[in-house]
Amino acid sequence: MAVSARLLLLPGDGIGPEVIEETRRVLAWLGRHRGLDFRVEEDLIGGAAYERLGDPAPDATIAKALAADAVLFGAVGGPKWEKLAFDKKPERGLLRLRKDLELFANLRPALCFDALKDASTLKPEIVAGLDILIVRELTGGVYFGEPRGIETLGGGARRGVDTQVYTSGEIQRIARTAFELARLRGRRVASAEKSNVMHTGVLWREEVQMLHDAEFEDVALTHILADNCAMQLVRNPKQFDVIVTDNLFGDILSDEAAQLTGSIGMLPSASLGAKDTDGRRRALYEPIHGSAPDIAGRGIANPIACILSLAMCLRYSLGRAEDATLIERAVDRVLADGYRTADIMQDGMTKVGTSAMTDAVLEALEAA
Ligand code: IPM
Ligand code: MG
């Protein structure tokens, strides 16, 4: 049956446009071969939007994102815009999308592809078969808490303030997401906070435990201090199944977990809102690698994280798990066949650029 979906592509900055362009080719393939009828629009975000419109998060882009079934996001940011005020920085585009679309649940899988287990900086036996899901709270905490700012004190001194704040409702909804996802996987959740020093951490621990006891006793819950979690991730990462944590700790721990897999250019992510009455939820999908300005425009970026973000979109937004699996298998196949972009290059493998990697994925899809 034909599924019609409104997708908004937001290429953004750095390698964002390159990897989104490749993902368009996979979209076209799905349209031709899998009966998916995409209505695809594209718009400006981040530094690209700032250059054209003076605003990294234009209202028109946000309005289109609100109306779309899903947003496919490239990346934002770069050294060119580092000195701008916060409200003009490219990152503002991403933060406004998260806030305005209420994308409170950020799913960041850290998966070690078998063909890449030697690419990790950790020993292969520590990372082989690794499959962790980090569930990061994305619309609260210190990223948005008030008051925030830099104020001038007397005598030339200044004071910077950020506020870490969480309500019980915000904690419960992200914990619920984590428990529900754990039921589809290994049924284990580790909840990371700093309840030894932070009030928000104490509240976090209590709320997660209460929700668990009331509704999710079939899921094994452990609490872990975020610093210890960071250490355990490099000591013995396979002890984890799902990790649920706040916005800031999630930012840090998810980068750490991604690096474990040796393939930051490979990892997708999903940011999801609440389900509305007809079961629809707002959603944004993005590769986690960021804008990588150092390699932008050279045709060497790895498109796989973005292509796998499309797979997540098929699974979580479009109810097309089968098509998602097709893409994931095609990626496995391409890696097994030895194709490697520069970021994951290993001895004896075939080095390819951005579009040749996509060619290989499309060929594997054809062959499946
Ligand atoms: C991420 C990024 C963002 C964040 C930046 C680009 C604002 O690091 O998605 O992890 O800090 O959340
Ligand atoms: Mg980050």
Side-chain angles (χ1 to χ4, degrees):
M1 200 185 71
V3 170
S4 161
R6 275 171 308 173
L7 291 187
L8 177 65
L9 307 185
L10 298 177
D13 310 320
I15 62 171
E18 295 165 57
V19 297
I20 288 281
E21 211 40 54
E22 299 305 317
T23 306
R24 259 185 194 281
R25 299 172 60 201
V26 180
L27 276 171
W29 187 91
L30 290 166
R32 282 198 305 277
H33 297 274
R34 301 290 301 170
L36 280 148
D37 166 29
F38 296 107
R39 275 170 289 160
V40 181
E41 280 194 89
E42 187 173 318
D43 215 331
L44 294 166
I45 196 77
Y50 173 76
E51 295 299 328
R52 292 274 296 278
L53 307 167
D55 181 356
D59 290 341
T61 299
I62 303 291
K64 277 189 199 154
L66 283 164
D69 289 310
V71 177
L72 217 54
F73 187 95
V76 288
K80 188 173 173 192
W81 304 289
E82 248 157 36
K83 296 226 151 62
L84 292 173
F86 267 120
D87 63 332
K88 299 287 183 207
K89 276 196 208 294
E91 288 78 3
R92 178 53 38 197
L94 181 56
L95 294 171
R96 183 170 176 205
L97 279 165
R98 289 175 181 171
K99 197 66 181 175
D100 287 14
L101 273 63
E102 291 179 80
L103 306 172
F104 68 88
N106 185 208
L107 281 42
R108 299 192 164 188
L111 201 79
C112 183
F113 295 85
D114 209 49
L116 297 182
K117 57 178 187 285
D118 297 310
S120 174
T121 44
L122 269 68
K123 297 191 190 92
E125 63 267 26
I126 304 285
V127 294
L130 182 75
D131 181 0
I132 300 176
L133 179 64
I134 297 199
V135 178
R136 167 189 177 192
E137 200 290 326
L138 202 60
T139 50
V142 75
Y143 273 61
F144 298 97
E146 298 282 347
R148 56 197 281 118
I150 298 177
E151 61 193 27
T152 309
L153 307 172
R158 296 188 301 160
R159 196 168 86 109
V161 179
D162 292 286
T163 302
Q164 165 82 341
V165 52
Y166 271 108
T167 63
S168 50
E170 288 174 313
I171 298 167
Q172 286 158 10
R173 68 180 181 176
I174 192 68
R176 178 179 302 284
T177 304
F179 286 132
E180 285 173 355
L181 289 165
R183 277 184 174 156
L184 306 173
R185 307 168 37 101
R187 287 184 181 255
R188 287 181 294 122
V189 170
S191 169
E193 30 62 11
K194 283 286 286 177
S195 56
N196 55 346
V197 281
M198 296 166 76
H199 294 286
T200 47
V202 173
L203 186 73
W204 186 281
R205 184 176 285 226
E206 289 175 1
E207 292 296 335
V208 172
Q209 186 68 51
M210 278 194 293
L211 181 68
H212 170 267
D213 296 351
E215 295 180 40
F216 295 97
E217 285 213 294
D218 57 310
V219 177
L221 170 66
T222 49
H223 300 282
I224 184 166
L225 296 175
D227 52 346
N228 185 26
C229 185
M231 184 181 71
Q232 295 299 333
L233 272 173
V234 284
R235 197 184 71 86
N236 173 22
K238 282 189 260 181
Q239 69 185 282
F240 295 111
D241 176 25
V242 174
I243 296 174
V244 63
T245 190
D246 79 9
N247 204 344
L248 183 61
F249 296 140
D251 181 44
I252 296 164
L253 294 174
S254 64
D255 261 28
E256 188 189 7
Q259 175 56 32
L260 294 178
T261 70
S263 49
I264 190 150
M266 303 283 302
L267 298 176
S269 75
S271 301
L272 307 176
K275 285 200 185 106
D276 62 20
T277 42
D278 57 7
R280 255 186 92 227
R281 67 196 313 179
R282 298 227 164 84
L284 179 148
Y285 300 86
E286 64 176 311
I288 70 158
H289 49 58
S291 61
D294 50 322
I295 60 161
R298 293 168 51 193
I300 61 171
N302 188 346
I304 290 181
C306 198
I307 292 171
L308 289 174
S309 298
L310 171 62
M312 283 188 100
C313 173
L314 289 161
R315 179 170 285 121
Y316 290 108
S317 285
L318 306 181
R320 300 281 293 209
E322 258 179 49
D323 295 315
T325 307
L326 269 184
I327 295 178
E328 288 156 358
R329 291 224 178 101
V331 167
D332 270 339
R333 174 70 193 276
V334 161
L335 294 173
D337 287 349
Y339 292 103
R340 300 284 187 275
T341 41
D343 56 308
I344 52 173
M345 185 57 194
Q346 296 161 295
D347 280 350
M349 301 292 157
T350 312
K351 193 163 172 182
V352 291
T354 311
S355 64
M357 182 59 109
T358 315
D359 294 343
V361 172
L362 293 172
E363 264 164 48
L365 282 169
E366 290 287 342

